[in-house]
Amino acid sequence: MSNQQSRRRFLQATGLTGIAALAGCLGGGGDDGTRLSWHAGGQGGTYFPLSNEFKTVVEDNSDYTLNVQSTGASVENVGSLADTDADFALIQNDIAYFAKNGTGIDAFQDDPVENLMGVATLYPETITLVTLQSTGIETVDDLSGATVNTGDLGSGTQVNALQILDAVGVTDFEEQNASFSQAADQLRNGDIDAAFVVGGWPVGAIEDLANTNELNIVPIAGDNREAVKDAASWFADDTIPGGTYSGVSEDVETVSVQAMIATNDSVDDSTVEAVTAAIFDNVDDLTIKTDFISADSAQDGMSIELHPGAAAYFEE
């Protein structure tokens, strides 16, 4: 069995129960009514540092404290919310829809996460396909026969990467699964040929890699981009501006999904409203993704039912 097939079978076999159990091992919940668990993502991506900025503004502007945890991101975070081990989490809007509706990917197929609820959308999650110039990989099609890190096993990044590869017809690749930071090390060491990273640019792990290596950000453009958007309605056009990463001077066309804050229906309305207000009344105190995060755009791309506490804030 190929590595790719084994990964997919793992997701199908474990399903939501396995993911929730994994999340439970990571801990969660609060010591009292004012201590909240917030699940983020890997430390080399955008979710973790942004979540820590949310922690600061929430603690400075409400009676709540946030315990921010590094996780495998979207799919794992849905498990944490489903099992109420997390009070809030960052996830992708496509993963939120799949989870809530019990469709889309094996982990949620016919097993909807009924207690999952939305709070706010935040910013585009850019799909970055990164390699080193020495590999000679210039297009997505060049990944045929390559060793590709598609992201942490069960993560939203892995879901998106496999969707993209399938949409463009790349099937004969060797799949590796690791965090953004580990993928950067794998590229440095020549253990993989390319890696998918999903997150708002600039991604710290890619910045660090670019400082010591000659990178190539592979475009998802032209017919390939149209094929990806035709295959999954969640993908939208996006561009990584030239100069975002050292040595990459030209704009790179790609696609994106949307990052969002999610919660579950066991978190009471007043708590969700207070946390939402603390964040969106104080976006000027943030330094990450400030061009995108605002109360005015916080329902753009919202893919699931809004929590009543969040609705109370945004409908004021």
Side-chain angles (χ1 to χ4, degrees):
M1 183 187 301
S2 71
N3 196 15
Q4 178 183 359
Q5 290 172 321
S6 67
R7 295 294 192 270
R8 286 173 170 164
R9 290 193 179 183
F10 172 84
L11 283 176
Q12 187 172 23
T14 57
L16 179 60
T17 301
I19 294 168
L22 173 61
C25 292
L26 294 174
D31 298 326
D32 55 54
T34 63
R35 185 169 177 80
L36 304 170
S37 177
W38 184 294
H39 286 199
Q43 295 186 20
T46 305
Y47 280 8
F48 188 75
L50 178 59
S51 293
N52 278 291
E53 292 204 348
F54 288 156
K55 171 183 170 69
T56 299
V57 297
V58 168
E59 292 179 355
D60 286 349
N61 296 280
S62 78
D63 294 329
Y64 295 95
T65 60
L66 298 186
N67 176 26
V68 174
Q69 295 189 28
S70 175
T71 71
S74 291
V75 178
E76 181 182 314
N77 288 354
V78 168
S80 302
L81 291 169
D83 209 35
T84 67
D85 285 318
D87 299 302
F88 295 89
L90 296 188
I91 61 178
Q92 295 172 198
N93 65 341
D94 57 332
I95 300 301
Y97 179 88
F98 295 151
K100 186 74 171 183
N101 292 278
T103 188
I105 59 175
D106 292 340
F108 307 126
Q109 190 64 44
D110 301 322
D111 190 16
V113 183
E114 296 178 354
N115 67 342
L116 185 68
M117 305 201 81
V119 175
T121 54
L122 298 171
Y123 61 87
E125 290 240 71
T126 304
I127 314 294
T128 303
L129 177 53
V130 61
T131 186
L132 300 185
Q133 291 183 17
S134 58
T135 66
I137 295 172
E138 298 289 341
T139 70
V140 183
D141 304 286
D142 292 336
L143 296 179
S144 291
T147 301
V148 183
N149 189 315
T150 62
D152 270 326
L153 185 63
S155 67
T157 298
Q158 186 195 28
V159 171
N160 293 152
L162 295 179
Q163 288 173 328
I164 290 168
L165 292 169
D166 184 65
V168 302
V170 174
T171 58
D172 58 334
F173 62 95
E174 180 70 18
E175 184 180 8
Q176 295 289 321
N177 298 102
S179 69
F180 299 161
S181 296
Q182 291 171 311
D185 289 337
Q186 289 176 321
L187 283 167
R188 286 189 190 94
N189 298 333
D191 296 329
I192 60 172
D193 300 303
F196 282 88
V197 177
V198 180
W201 47 261
V203 175
I206 300 179
E207 284 186 303
D208 292 344
L209 183 65
N211 289 333
T212 56
N213 295 266
E214 294 185 337
L215 296 190
N216 184 33
I217 305 298
V218 180
I220 302 173
D223 290 343
N224 280 339
R225 182 154 75 172
E226 294 308 309
V228 169
K229 292 191 296 181
D230 287 345
S233 61
W234 305 109
F235 292 113
D237 291 347
D238 201 359
T239 300
I240 302 170
T244 299
Y245 300 110
S246 177
V248 183
S249 58
E250 300 295 325
D251 291 354
V252 180
E253 293 184 350
T254 184
V255 293
S256 66
V257 289
Q258 188 91 341
M260 62 177 283
I261 304 170
T263 186
N264 60 63
D265 61 13
S266 69
V267 183
D268 64 71
D269 295 1
S270 61
T271 298
V272 174
E273 183 174 6
V275 170
T276 305
I279 292 172
F280 286 93
D281 285 349
N282 297 282
V283 291
D284 289 345
D285 294 335
L286 303 175
T287 66
I288 298 172
K289 293 297 161 189
T290 53
D291 289 344
F292 301 101
I293 299 174
S294 74
D296 291 339
S297 63
Q299 297 309 307
D300 295 350
M302 177 56 66
S303 57
I304 59 175
E305 179 185 357
L306 201 61
H307 191 286
Y313 171 79
F314 289 113
E315 292 171 2
E316 288 180 354

